[in-house]
Amino acid sequence: MKRTTAARPSLSESQLKKALIAADDIGPGWKTMSGGGSGVWPCDEEPDTTADATAVRKFDHPGSPETQASVSLAAYEDSDAAADFLDELRDNIGDCEDEPVDLGGGIELSFKEIELLRSNGNTTDSEVLSVAIRQEQDGRFAADGVIIFIRIEDVVGSAQVIAPARRSTAMDQVAIQIARLQLERAADKLGRSA
């Protein structure tokens, strides 16, 4: 849902990183991992609309199965640009649902839009995109995951969970919890209220 709003001062990478750190850890048992990474896109094609600044935090949970998670924030020129990014990403997912991305070494990653989390309705200038991901190696199942994108005004946050297990209600709930705890807290720190 697009909504043109008054221009805000641009957010920097430093501000985004501080907001993610201020959002605190994602729960008991999770450990922070180092590293960022540019990610993998449906169709192996990044949307045309690019962010002005980005920040990422990664986490690992040594449970059974071991689960990895990441949260990110991306700041755009304005709300319309952030909405354009999500529109382009949604189109790419639809266009490439049956075309996995080849990561090399026999590993492929596929994406599919799902109904998982809806905007809470507190503001008209927000939207949610939920995506299921599947990783295969040499044609065999390797891992499932969920990514939840939340746009609040000119900021897009994502929460991703992936594990070497079939997608389940428990996996979905972990992704929802991380999205709500991390992304909405971080957005609030940036003055963008969900």
Side-chain angles (χ1 to χ4, degrees), residues 127-145:
E127 59 185 316
V128 175
L129 171 63
S130 301
V131 182
I133 54 178
R134 171 155 295 187
Q135 182 177 310
E136 294 186 352
Q137 183 157 13
D138 299 324
R140 295 187 301 273
F141 171 83
D144 268 354

Side-chain angles (χ1 to χ4, degrees), residues 155-167:
V155 174
V156 176
S158 71
Q160 174 177 307
V161 174
I162 189 165
R166 299 285 181 179
R167 180 179 161 227

Side-chain angles (χ1 to χ4, degrees), residues 61-84:
H61 195 296
S64 181
E66 181 176 357
T67 304
Q68 294 184 342
S70 65
V71 291
S72 71
L73 291 174
Y76 292 82
E77 179 181 0
D78 53 28
S79 293
D80 285 350
D84 286 343

Side-chain angles (χ1 to χ4, degrees), residues 10-82:
S10 297
L11 292 167
S12 67
E13 180 180 339
S14 175
Q15 287 174 299
L16 298 180
K17 285 182 178 177
K18 287 178 180 177
L20 282 179
I21 292 169
D24 207 354
D25 292 332
I26 61 178
W30 291 94
K31 296 182 179 180
T32 304
M33 300 168 61
S34 60
S38 58
V40 178
W41 301 97
C43 298
D44 202 19
E45 181 179 333
E46 187 171 356
D48 292 333
T49 305
T50 57
D52 293 338
T54 60
V56 180
R57 285 187 81 191
K58 291 191 171 186
F59 303 89
D60 179 78
H61 195 296
S64 181
E66 181 176 357
T67 304
Q68 294 184 342
S70 65
V71 291
S72 71
L73 291 174
Y76 292 82
E77 179 181 0
D78 53 28
S79 293
D80 285 350

Side-chain angles (χ1 to χ4, degrees), residues 82-96:
D84 286 343
F85 166 81
L86 271 194
D87 287 345
E88 292 163 11
L89 180 58
R90 183 178 282 110
D91 288 345
N92 282 357
I93 291 168
D95 291 344
C96 300

